[in-house]
Amino acid sequence: MCRAGIGRCGGSRGGAAGAVTPSVDIDIDAAERRAAARVRALLGEVARVRAEAERTRWVPHEPTERQAAFAARGELEVLYGGAAGGGKTDALLMEALRYVDVPGYAALVLRRRFSDLALPGAIMDRAGEWLRPTAAKWTERDKQWTFPSGATLTFGYCDTEDDRYRYQGAEVQFLGVDELTQWPERWYRYLLSRLRRGASSEVPLRARSASNPGGVGHAWVHERFVGPRAVGVFVPAKLEDNPHLDRGAYEEALGRLDETTRRQLRHGEWVTDGGGLVYRGFDRGRNVGGSEPKRCDEYVLGIDYGFRDETAFSLLGWERKSRRVWVCEVRKFERMIPSDAASVAREYEGRLCGKLARIVGDVGGMGKGYAEEARARWGVPIEPAEKVNKRGYVSLLNGALERGELMLVGGDATSELVKEWEVLPWNEAATKEAEGFANHAADATLYGWRACLAFLEDERADVVVTEDERMEERVDEAMRREPWEGEASDDGW
């Protein structure tokens, strides 16, 4: 092949004798390189399009704008939803299927109950609609789809404290939780530990959830994903963001709900009426005082024992001239053995210099050994806590909170109790506390408060309160009752 200019290779001559046309140099090597680069780029684009088609062939429709925003997030924990009808099920399933063409990829999608998974239109049913026409294979026994790459999508549930250990040996790159507000936080946090990948894997680890406001987990989900101290990311979506639904029918159905639920489901507002909380009478503004230590005339120590769970100590005190009981200090310890628990109780006896009127604890079951250790080895008497009619006494305690007769010292001294009181819900039947939520500080406080009631009733008949003391108490009560209890202030609050 000629690599010189055309004129140098005997190109055509014209005009006067001996005249030669001007030389035109062409670098054939450079032209070939450019052509090869264009071919490579074209092949790369074809491969990219083909890979994208392979990736999306499991999803029968394009994501909505909000679903695409959800898919674009790269953080470890992301929550999608808010209002009903925003396309939560499809968004979560799309994300679970994102890497099923990668060999070794494993996705796990969970609901609170197995029966919820199989409901018509629920996520496992939706996966069947999408995947049955494809090359993916379903295994009924394992509730698992297997893809040509060998990747898997498994469905499961976690309805009790022990169910989470069903996944103890699991190793997944995607954890999906549908309706997260039905879950206790510690079950969710445990399952996060199942997110793992090999050293050479490029598949990102992802925890993706979908939920509406409301439910037993409303408070912690809001704090973890929506509130000012959120550690995860929240992608909100509303009915208007989903073009695939009959909006009119949805609007009609949501219009029949009570106001709080309608605000939650129609507008995605993270509001609650507190009706599902065990300690609904607690209000920070009303029931939390200053952080300085409270000096009382007498004290009671309540103890809730645990080894696998936490052991909690709650110190309550009162002044003889007042009906008000103060929670002065709450402490929690993990994996506390009986001798250590007895040592803490003895420490309180020493600190309070004879003012500790009584120590009460849950001495049933495992607590029996703790109480015996305290008595025999340390000389600390632990009396059995009153546990009959817990629901009724919780109601009485809520009344005391609402009347301001039970107060908390502020700051770190009682922060563990506040954390529990603000999120601890009843179960769906409202017959007992929901499983999976910490209640050890709350129980220790309830035991102590019930013991305080007995002492206060005994003492009240013997106490002579002067008119000045009554006036002081009324002034204190008036100072405590500020505009948040319904009175208008000068600035319009």
Side-chain angles (χ1 to χ4, degrees), residues 30-98:
E32 288 178 347
R33 285 195 297 272
R34 287 194 294 271
R38 286 195 296 271
V39 170
R40 284 194 300 270
L42 182 59
L43 291 174
E45 180 66 15
V46 170
R48 188 194 66 78
V49 171
R50 181 176 295 169
E52 181 68 12
E54 287 291 309
R55 187 183 71 78
T56 59
R57 65 182 166 140
W58 314 107
V59 179
H61 66 80
E62 292 295 318
T64 66
E65 182 177 341
R66 299 310 297 159
Q67 289 168 347
F70 179 55
R73 303 302 308 204
E75 294 84 358
L76 175 64
E77 298 179 63
V78 186
L79 171 70
Y80 181 86
K88 298 186 301 298
T89 299
D90 282 12
L92 195 60
L93 186 54
M94 286 176 181
E95 286 305 284
L97 294 170
R98 175 177 288 272

Side-chain angles (χ1 to χ4, degrees), residues 26-216:
I26 299 178
D27 189 340
I28 300 301
D29 284 338
E32 288 178 347
R33 285 195 297 272
R34 287 194 294 271
R38 286 195 296 271
V39 170
R40 284 194 300 270
L42 182 59
L43 291 174
E45 180 66 15
V46 170
R48 188 194 66 78
V49 171
R50 181 176 295 169
E52 181 68 12
E54 287 291 309
R55 187 183 71 78
T56 59
R57 65 182 166 140
W58 314 107
V59 179
H61 66 80
E62 292 295 318
T64 66
E65 182 177 341
R66 299 310 297 159
Q67 289 168 347
F70 179 55
R73 303 302 308 204
E75 294 84 358
L76 175 64
E77 298 179 63
V78 186
L79 171 70
Y80 181 86
K88 298 186 301 298
T89 299
D90 282 12
L92 195 60
L93 186 54
M94 286 176 181
E95 286 305 284
L97 294 170
R98 175 177 288 272
Y99 293 101
V100 294
D101 291 306
V102 177
Y105 171 74
L108 175 64
V109 175
L110 302 169
R111 283 288 302 260
R112 176 68 186 266
R113 299 173 186 84
F114 176 75
S115 58
D116 296 333
L117 280 171
L119 289 172
I123 194 163
M124 191 166 73
D125 180 65
R126 186 71 50 83
E129 293 177 7
W130 289 9
L131 299 176
R132 275 192 293 270
T134 72
K137 302 298 182 184
W138 173 250
T139 304
E140 177 65 25
R141 183 190 64 186
D142 300 327
K143 300 296 184 286
Q144 184 178 87
W145 287 97
T146 303
F147 297 84
S149 67
T152 58
L153 167 61
T154 306
F155 294 92
Y157 65 94
C158 193
D159 191 27
T160 68
E161 187 79 21
D162 291 336
D163 280 342
R164 56 183 171 155
Y165 299 116
R166 291 161 50 89
Y167 310 101
Q168 190 167 7
E171 183 174 309
V172 299
Q173 293 77 57
F174 178 89
L175 172 67
V177 181
D178 199 10
E179 299 300 346
L180 185 60
T181 52
Q182 296 178 0
W183 286 55
E185 182 176 16
R186 66 178 176 182
W187 296 2
Y188 169 77
R189 293 177 66 177
Y190 174 80
L191 288 164
L192 286 177
S193 69
R194 303 304 92 199
L195 287 170
R196 304 173 185 175
R197 66 179 181 182
S200 61
S201 175
E202 295 183 359
V203 174
L205 300 179
R206 297 172 299 146
R208 298 293 182 265
S209 306
S211 198
N212 305 121
V216 297

Side-chain angles (χ1 to χ4, degrees), residues 277 279-288 397-398 401-402 406 408 417-419 421-422:
L277 293 177
Y279 294 96
R280 66 184 185 280
F282 174 68
D283 179 271
R284 284 186 187 235
R286 177 180 60 220
N287 299 114
V288 178
L397 189 148
N398 277 318
L401 286 168
E402 290 167 357
L406 179 58
L408 278 64
L417 178 61
V418 171
K419 290 176 186 176
W421 274 2
E422 289 190 327

